Amino acid sequence: MTHQYPALTAEQKKELSDIALRIVAPGKGILAADESVGHMAKRLNQIGVENTEENRRLYRQILFSADSRVKKCIGGVIFFHETMYQKADDGTPFVQMIKDKGIVVGIKVDKGVVPLAGTDGETTTQGLDGLSERCAQYKKDGADFAKWRCVLKISDNTPSALAIMENANVLARYASICQQNGIVPIVEPEILPDGDHDLKRCQYVTEKVLAAVYKALSDHHVYLEGTLLKPNMVTPGHACPKKYSPEEIAMATVTALRRTVPPAVPGVTFLSGGQSEEEASINLNAINTCPLVRPWALTFSYGRALQASALSAWRGQRDNATAATEEFVKRAEVNGLAALGKYEGSGDDSGAAGQSLYVANHAY
Amino acid sequence: MTHQFPALSPEQKKALSDIAQRIVASGKGILAADESVGTMGNRLQRINVENTEENRRAFREILFSSDAFSSQSIGGVILFHETLYQKDSSGKPFPAIIKEKGIVVGIKLDKGSAPLAGTNGETTIQGLDGLAERCAQYKKDGVDFGKWRAVLKITSTTPSQLAIQENANTLARYASICQQHGLVPIVEPEVLPDGDHDLQRCQYVSEKVLAAVYKALNDHHVYLEGTLLKPNMVMAGYSCPKKYTPQDVALATVTTLLRTVPAAVPGICFLSGGQSEEEASLNLNAMNQLSLPKPWKLTFSYGRALQASALAAWVGKSENKKAAQEAFRKRVQINSLACRGQYVVSGKTDAAATQSLFTASYTY
């Protein structure tokens, strides 16, 4: 710990920092369209569509054909490898379609989870082998950021110290390699919402996990200004009998981040987990109206929460493509407002609640 | 890492958070008047005054009875054990005087350094034994915050991994114990300015040290909103041939803090190290003028940099009391402006203010 051997030049740092800031510019977030082939199978199955390469291409085309309205609310799109090299009906590469809208192209680079022997079903994530060469190639092919997802689970015995430490370490190695190749790493330490634990438990675990992640990033000499964080919001487990308001979720989430995420990180782009489209927007909005000082952008990196309506509007029919695209644009705009704390809800109640619902954070 | 066993109740958290906020309220900083008997001896020797208990008491009385020592610019004062139980000339206990002025009383809690065998002259800090009982007693006697100074040194082989980790751990243990007894812990991981290293080296080391400190605080379940940080500014070593401006120091310091100190920490109160009074004010001012986002207060916790001129004016003679208080008032006023970025240097500065107060390997 005595001497510095600079990992990046000043120019490399500036490039990374500029990319990160473009992605999380005010009012913008990320479309996570990086579902793997297997994952897409589940989505398409739900709407009765066959999981072929062509159907996956047609579906992504629906999203990427969105008009210029998305320019002000989408800062980045995360691709799956296959999609990086697909084209629209008229032969335009998808990567180019996205770049032409001024949106930054990202790529999922992890290779899925593998078990940690000796634990209660915990995992780490693989994908470090040859990662540097892959990043260099993706950079040439138009990608400027990447994503790597680690997974932790809350139960009586988990997450264990090993799972936290190992996943934090692997995230830091991935981040370091990305930056060497001009790619901004999105660091995603997802704590699953499975379980019946309450909000406090999730907050506690989230704080421990994020503290470990940022210590690992420091140890690995990662340039924080050239990274983004993609965490879970702090929520109760799906099977928790107690219900919480968006303000409680916001307070717990922002408190956890304030205690662990250095202000140098330019943006936090939440995953939507199992939340519905509306829930994910309402919660993001509450996070952005939370009365605590928030030194990073707080925005979205949503998959399902941006695409669910579009998928069900499409149902695999070309005739429904325009209507499906419209559904996506609507959710994108709603989340763009939520990222500014200006979304007033789908009509009924929530948004109008106001600051009085925020309980002082000494309780968190 | 699975379950939370709350260290503090919401009421305890609120009490700690309120104390911390009071100390670093806008325009306020800390007077570090906790020089040990030995260190006071060094100070008094420089002005040819005998190091007696009465002389130490008399000088502190000059400071505490001055109009400048008010809650307008002073949020807290750190005392040495002896001073906590001393009285002014009319028999009024110092803590009572201080509290009446609306200033928070603090106490130095560490018991000095101990060597780390097998290292290149590195140390850890003692004082954990019976610390809980001491904290409880001090709280009864009017104290609301504590201070503990860990020391690290930059050379070609230091600070070592062990020194960083051991000092971070003892700081975290001290902080945890303080909070259990209603005392806000000021966490002081001082990286000494001794040496010829440049600004970058100091920044690198400071980032590593602070990352380790905040990981340790997290591991020990310390409530960050109820703590304060007292770090060194990021500066070149005193024998470094290259000179840097206050803006260089400000940018390096704030960058370091943005990368390591969570936004939940309410305030950062810099130590002055061996800086002259004027240097310490100019550097603090430059930091507060930076347009980078700063989610914590940036203020002072100065010993020498608030008292040097006053000592030089006093030279142990009671008839110099007013002159000493005037010298003190000037530095208090300037630093109160500096912690709001409003200090405008006018004309010339006096000799005592610009005299370097550097003493090799400074220990209290």
Side-chain angles (χ1 to χ4, degrees):
Chain A
M1 297 274 187
T2 56
H3 287 268
Q4 179 179 20
Y5 302 95
L8 301 163
T9 63
E11 292 75 29
Q12 285 175 303
K13 284 180 174 179
K14 182 172 197 317
E15 188 199 0
L16 291 166
S17 172
D18 285 349
I19 292 168
L21 288 170
R22 280 172 54 209
I23 297 170
V24 296
K28 297 193 189 185
I30 297 172
L31 164 62
D34 61 319
E35 297 85 357
S36 63
V37 173
H39 202 164
M40 264 327 271
K42 286 190 216 145
R43 299 273 177 95
L44 297 177
N45 197 8
Q46 279 179 331
I47 54 166
V49 173
E50 203 189 340
N51 187 24
T52 62
E53 191 185 336
E54 177 60 8
N55 279 341
R56 294 191 295 274
R57 187 193 70 80
L58 283 171
Y59 176 61
R60 266 63 180 261
Q61 181 172 248
I62 284 172
L63 300 175
F64 302 161
S65 312
D67 61 40
S68 61
R69 282 175 292 167
V70 294
K71 285 185 184 185
K72 64 178 184 331
C73 49
I74 300 290
V77 172
I78 318 178
F79 281 60
F80 180 63
H81 178 87
E82 171 191 78
T83 321
M84 281 284 287
Y85 304 102
Q86 289 179 323
K87 304 177 165 78
D89 292 341
D90 67 1
T92 313
F94 281 158
V95 168
Q96 192 187 322
M97 283 174 84
I98 293 301
K99 285 180 138 188
D100 285 347
K101 295 191 221 289
I103 299 173
V104 187
V105 171
I107 178 77
K108 180 224 290 290
V109 296
D110 71 78
K111 293 188 171 180
V113 300
V114 291
L116 283 172
T119 66
D120 184 9
E122 294 178 291
T123 61
T124 181
T125 295
Q126 43 179 18
L128 292 178
D129 298 351
L131 180 59
S132 188
E133 291 74 16
R134 294 175 59 220
C135 282
Q137 186 61 51
Y138 285 134
K139 180 78 174 177
K140 283 204 197 102
D141 296 340
D144 285 310
F145 74 95
K147 180 214 113 179
W148 175 292
R149 177 173 175 260
C150 276
V151 182
L152 293 137
K153 199 160 80 162
I154 297 178
S155 72
D156 278 343
N157 310 308
T158 63
S160 65
L162 172 65
I164 293 176
M165 179 260 289
E166 164 61 22
N167 281 287
N169 191 61
V170 89
L171 276 165
R173 279 295 299 134
Y174 140 79
S176 167
I177 293 169
C178 278
Q179 293 194 328
Q180 290 300 299
N181 291 286
I183 295 217
V184 166
I186 296 191
V187 172
E188 181 178 353
E190 174 172 8
I191 297 163
L192 294 175
D194 303 36
D196 60 1
H197 54 273
D198 62 9
L199 185 70
K200 275 190 166 22
R201 182 92 185 280
C202 179
Q203 183 184 338
Y204 175 76
V205 172
T206 302
E207 288 180 15
K208 294 301 175 192
V209 167
L210 290 176
V213 167
Y214 283 96
K215 180 59 163 64
L217 291 175
S218 169
D219 290 344
H220 287 257
H221 317 299
V222 174
Y223 174 60
L224 292 187
E225 293 88 331
T227 66
L228 293 170
L229 177 69
K230 179 166 172 168
N232 49 284
M233 291 183 192
V234 173
T235 63
H238 277 145
C240 179
K242 186 169 176 196
K243 297 301 162 208
Y244 298 85
S245 66
E247 288 74 25
E248 287 172 299
I249 284 170
M251 200 53 140
T253 302
V254 175
T255 300
L257 299 173
R258 277 167 51 83
R259 290 175 181 169
T260 55
V261 183
V265 175
V268 176
T269 61
F270 295 99
L271 58 95
S272 46
Q275 299 180 49
S276 69
E277 288 175 328
E278 188 63 8
E279 212 182 336
S281 303
I282 295 284
N283 285 336
L284 180 62
N285 191 64
I287 283 169
N288 279 286
T289 58
C290 177
L292 294 173
V293 171
R294 300 162 258 123
W296 349 253
L298 292 167
T299 182
F300 58 92
S301 176
Y302 290 168
R304 276 169 286 183
L306 272 172
Q307 301 177 52
S309 295
L311 263 167
S312 50
W314 178 51
R315 306 204 77 80
Q317 319 278 18
R318 269 194 183 272
D319 294 341
N320 295 340
T322 311
T325 304
E326 191 58 27
E327 289 297 322
F328 164 61
V329 173
K330 268 169 48 183
R331 282 332 295 177
E333 289 187 313
V334 160
N335 285 304
L337 287 172
L340 294 167
K342 292 184 176 161
Y343 177 50
E344 282 165 28
S346 58
D348 33 356
D349 54 339
S350 2
Q355 308 245 316
S356 59
L357 289 183
Y358 289 101
V359 175
N361 74 318
H362 310 118
Y364 289 88
Chain B
M1 299 274 184
T2 55
H3 287 268
Q4 178 180 19
F5 302 96
L8 300 163
S9 67
E11 293 72 31
Q12 285 176 300
K13 286 180 173 178
K14 182 174 196 314
L16 290 166
S17 174
D18 286 350
I19 291 168
Q21 296 284 348
R22 279 174 56 207
I23 295 170
V24 295
S26 186
K28 303 189 194 191
I30 297 172
L31 166 62
D34 61 321
E35 298 85 357
S36 63
V37 172
T39 301
M40 229 18 224
N42 295 339
R43 302 273 178 91
L44 296 175
Q45 194 196 31
R46 281 181 93 161
I47 53 167
N48 291 314
V49 172
E50 203 189 339
N51 187 19
T52 62
E53 189 184 339
E54 174 52 25
N55 281 340
R56 295 191 294 274
R57 190 206 65 77
F59 184 66
R60 268 70 180 258
E61 176 169 356
I62 286 175
L63 298 177
F64 303 159
S65 63
S66 74
D67 290 336
F69 186 71
S70 84
S71 62
Q72 199 181 14
S73 314
I74 304 288
V77 59
I78 319 176
L79 302 180
F80 180 64
H81 176 87
E82 170 191 80
T83 318
L84 184 64
Y85 302 103
Q86 286 178 328
K87 307 175 164 78
D88 75 359
S89 320
S90 73
K92 190 159 185 185
F94 281 154
I97 295 172
I98 295 166
K99 285 178 114 124
E100 255 167 44
K101 292 193 170 194
I103 297 172
V104 186
V105 177
I107 187 82
K108 180 221 289 292
L109 287 170
D110 69 80
K111 292 188 171 180
S113 65
L116 284 172
T119 67
N120 184 9
E122 293 178 291
T123 59
T124 181
I125 304 291
Q126 333 180 78
L128 292 179
D129 298 351
L131 181 58
E133 289 74 17
R134 295 174 60 218
C135 284
Q137 187 60 50
Y138 283 134
K139 182 76 176 177
K140 283 204 197 102
D141 295 340
V143 176
D144 285 311
F145 72 95
K147 181 214 119 180
W148 174 291
R149 174 177 177 257
V151 181
L152 295 137
K153 197 154 85 159
I154 298 179
T155 67
S156 56
T157 57
T158 63
S160 66
Q161 183 92 341
L162 172 65
I164 293 176
Q165 165 222 316
E166 166 63 20
N167 280 286
N169 192 60
T170 39
L171 275 166
R173 278 295 298 133
Y174 139 80
S176 168
I177 293 170
C178 274
Q179 292 194 329
Q180 290 299 300
H181 297 278
L183 297 183
V184 165
I186 295 191
V187 172
E188 180 177 355
E190 174 170 8
V191 176
L192 291 174
D194 302 42
D196 60 3
H197 52 273
D198 63 10
L199 184 71
Q200 268 86 344
R201 181 92 187 281
C202 179
Q203 182 182 338
Y204 175 76
V205 171
S206 299
E207 286 181 17
K208 294 301 178 193
V209 167
L210 289 172
V213 166
Y214 282 95
K215 180 58 164 62
L217 291 175
N218 182 283
D219 288 344
H220 286 256
H221 316 300
V222 174
Y223 175 60
L224 292 187
E225 292 86 335
T227 66
L228 293 169
L229 178 69
K230 178 166 172 168
N232 50 287
M233 295 186 191
V234 173
M235 307 173 57
Y238 270 111
S239 331
C240 180
K242 185 168 177 198
K243 296 300 160 204
Y244 298 89
T245 64
Q247 288 66 36
D248 294 329
V249 170
L251 189 57
T253 304
V254 176
T255 300
T256 297
L257 300 170
L258 287 171
R259 290 176 181 170
T260 53
V261 184
V265 175
I268 298 177
C269 327
F270 296 97
L271 58 95
S272 45
Q275 300 178 56
S276 70
E277 290 175 326
E278 189 63 7
E279 206 183 342
S281 301
L282 289 173
N283 286 336
L284 179 62
N285 191 54
M287 282 182 223
N288 280 289
Q289 288 186 333
L290 274 182
S291 57
L292 291 175
K294 294 159 251 139
W296 354 252
K297 295 282 177 38
L298 293 175
T299 183
F300 56 92
S301 175
Y302 291 168
R304 282 170 283 180
L306 273 171
Q307 301 177 58
S309 296
L311 269 166
W314 177 52
V315 285
K317 302 191 159 73
S318 54
E319 57 268 31
N320 293 338
K321 174 174 162 177
K322 275 191 90 167
Q325 289 184 331
E326 176 54 26
F328 178 61
R329 186 201 62 75
K330 256 181 67 180
R331 293 328 302 176
V332 169
Q333 186 180 46
I334 286 173
N335 284 307
S336 176
L337 289 169
C339 71
R340 283 171 288 176
Q342 292 169 7
Y343 175 40
V344 178
V345 183
S346 58
K348 57 181 169 63
T349 42
D350 51 83
T354 50
Q355 184 183 43
S356 170
L357 299 167
F358 174 62
T359 309
S361 276
Y362 189 75
T363 52
Y364 278 93

